[in-house]
Amino acid sequence: MRARIENEVLIINHEDLPEFKKGGSVVRNSYFWALRSIAGKSGRYRDWEYEPEVWLALARMLLSFAESGYLGYRETLLEFPPSQEQIPDLLRDVATWE
């Protein structure tokens, strides 16, 4: 998922977020609600925002869903642009450069 940090807020690109689908995969729908539950802002068709206070929970959640084997690697990995000078320590296990 494409991500960036602005003013100490992690922002995930809305095009890369999981979609909730009635009658869809239980795992994907659970993933959607789990990510949304800790987001500071999570509007429809908008980027979702995560404050530093929830980064540890976000990292644990991403690792857990990645290890489940039900979701693709790119769906559970934060991809930062090369212009992002540094990946925060709390997110290193679940992040990489684009």
Side-chain angles (χ1 to χ4, degrees), residues 1-93:
M1 295 183 292
R2 290 170 291 171
R4 65 187 186 283
I5 296 176
E6 293 179 6
N7 299 321
E8 297 187 25
V9 174
L10 173 69
I11 301 168
I12 298 178
N13 187 304
H14 72 278
E15 295 172 347
D16 298 342
L17 291 163
E19 293 181 22
F20 175 79
K21 294 180 183 175
K22 281 190 174 183
S25 163
V26 172
V27 173
R28 287 188 194 285
N29 286 344
S30 296
Y31 185 49
F32 169 86
W33 288 113
L35 286 175
R36 189 168 188 194
S37 71
I38 63 169
K41 291 186 181 178
S42 59
R44 190 172 182 148
Y45 307 116
R46 295 182 183 259
D47 297 343
W48 289 7
E49 299 181 4
Y50 298 86
E51 295 87 359
E53 293 82 11
V54 300
W55 289 358
L56 178 59
L58 176 63
R60 288 179 175 174
M61 190 181 320
L62 292 173
L63 280 173
S64 178
F65 276 96
E67 291 171 353
S68 75
Y70 289 105
L71 300 172
Y73 188 64
R74 293 194 64 150
E75 294 176 275
T76 57
L77 184 69
L78 300 173
E79 296 179 5
F80 288 97
S83 61
Q84 185 79 45
E85 293 180 15
Q86 185 177 357
I87 295 174
D89 290 339
L90 286 174
L91 301 173
R92 280 206 185 126
D93 290 341

